[in-house]
Amino acid sequence: MHNQESSYKAIIFDLGAVLIDWNPRYLYRKIFSTEDEMEQFLEEICTSDWNEEQDAGRSLLDGTEMLIQQFPSFEAQIRAYYGRWKEMLGGEISDTVALLKELKDSGKYKLYALTNWSNETFPLALMQYQFLQWFDGIVVSGREKQRKPAHSFFQLLLERYQENAAEALFIDDNLRNVNAAKNMGIESIHFLNAPQLKSELMNKKILN
């Protein structure tokens, strides 16, 4: 059990949908005339599985050309995915960023990001979101050629920064990734929203 003082030393954040509002719909609402057409395109053509292959290190060019060969009539829409990728970025999720700042200001914890993100697009996020400078380390799947939920990807972060799984807390909106971390002995929070995260951090005595 954790007493008044938290026994955590490292807090590991996912970025997309936790701290950064990234959504391909922001772009594709401008391209398709109906929500149905857009959803069908994102379910059947530019799928999240396809995007994750670029997050795992496949080049944007290879991913794009492969899809165009499969769906030539959607060439323009497919090229827009990375050609206009910046239009998928919303703002920072300010309530969660405020919690990150509280953790940073407390000086008690090492803060890390573990993100499934293409190494080719991540520099755009680094330029746009100042708070990414607050982390003690960021591990990007596209750079490492592996991604969540692979145990080896979590292990890479722990070893690189000499952190102990038993003293780390992982926060992600994707239950698949949360379960993978738990299976490795990393206590985890399934992120739903900032108020829920704040109350869990208070329960764990990480925030007052």
Side-chain angles (χ1 to χ4, degrees):
M1 290 295 291
H2 300 118
N3 301 324
Q4 290 315 302
E5 230 5 68
S6 135
S7 60
Y8 300 99
K9 294 189 176 165
I11 301 178
I12 305 165
F13 279 84
D14 170 43
L15 294 178
V18 176
L19 289 159
I20 294 173
D21 181 14
W22 173 86
N23 193 328
R25 288 166 184 81
Y26 294 148
L27 165 66
Y28 282 107
R29 281 199 181 103
K30 304 172 192 174
I31 291 175
F32 289 100
S33 47
T34 70
E35 289 278 311
D36 286 349
E37 285 177 280
M38 173 184 75
E39 292 300 339
Q40 190 175 0
F41 175 80
L42 292 172
E43 258 167 56
E44 296 174 10
I45 300 176
C46 286
T47 65
S48 55
D49 287 349
W50 168 78
N51 176 58
E52 283 205 336
E53 290 301 320
Q54 283 73 257
D55 289 350
R58 179 168 66 190
S59 79
L60 306 189
L61 184 65
D62 288 352
T64 300
E65 295 305 329
M66 184 200 82
L67 268 198
I68 289 168
Q69 283 181 353
Q70 286 176 267
F71 304 99
S73 61
F74 284 94
E75 177 173 359
Q77 295 91 328
I78 293 166
R79 287 201 187 283
Y81 198 97
Y82 291 113
R84 296 172 60 182
W85 183 86
K86 276 175 85 166
E87 294 174 58
M88 299 180 187
L89 287 174
E92 60 179 46
I93 300 175
S94 53
D95 292 359
T96 323
V97 172
L99 294 177
L100 179 69
K101 182 158 194 338
E102 229 178 297
L103 293 168
K104 183 75 177 165
D105 290 347
S106 80
K108 293 179 187 171
Y109 309 100
K110 291 283 191 182
L111 300 175
Y112 302 104
L114 186 71
T115 183
N116 285 358
W117 204 303
S118 158
N119 198 34
E120 293 175 74
T121 56
F122 193 67
L124 299 172
L126 275 177
M127 285 177 353
Q128 186 151 334
Y129 302 105
Q130 190 55 44
F131 68 82
L132 292 174
Q133 313 303 324
W134 302 347
F135 287 104
D136 295 289
I138 300 179
V139 179
V140 179
S141 61
R143 190 175 302 151
E144 310 298 342
K145 304 281 197 283
Q146 51 179 316
R147 60 182 168 86
K148 297 176 286 189
H151 284 186
S152 57
F153 191 47
F154 292 91
Q155 199 59 42
L156 178 76
L157 183 146
L158 295 173
E159 287 174 7
R160 180 169 293 170
Y161 299 105
Q162 296 173 316
E163 298 293 352
N164 183 338
E167 297 171 326
L169 177 70
F170 175 63
I171 299 159
D172 198 309
D173 66 300
N174 186 321
L175 198 51
R176 173 194 73 176
N177 300 336
V178 166
N179 289 335
K182 283 181 178 170
N183 288 339
M184 293 185 64
I186 302 172
E187 200 169 323
S188 300
I189 294 174
H190 181 212
F191 177 86
L192 303 173
N193 53 53
Q196 166 252 357
L197 176 60
K198 180 166 189 167
S199 82
E200 296 222 27
L201 292 174
M202 288 169 75
N203 288 343
K204 294 178 189 301
K205 308 279 190 270
I206 291 170
L207 288 178
N208 298 323

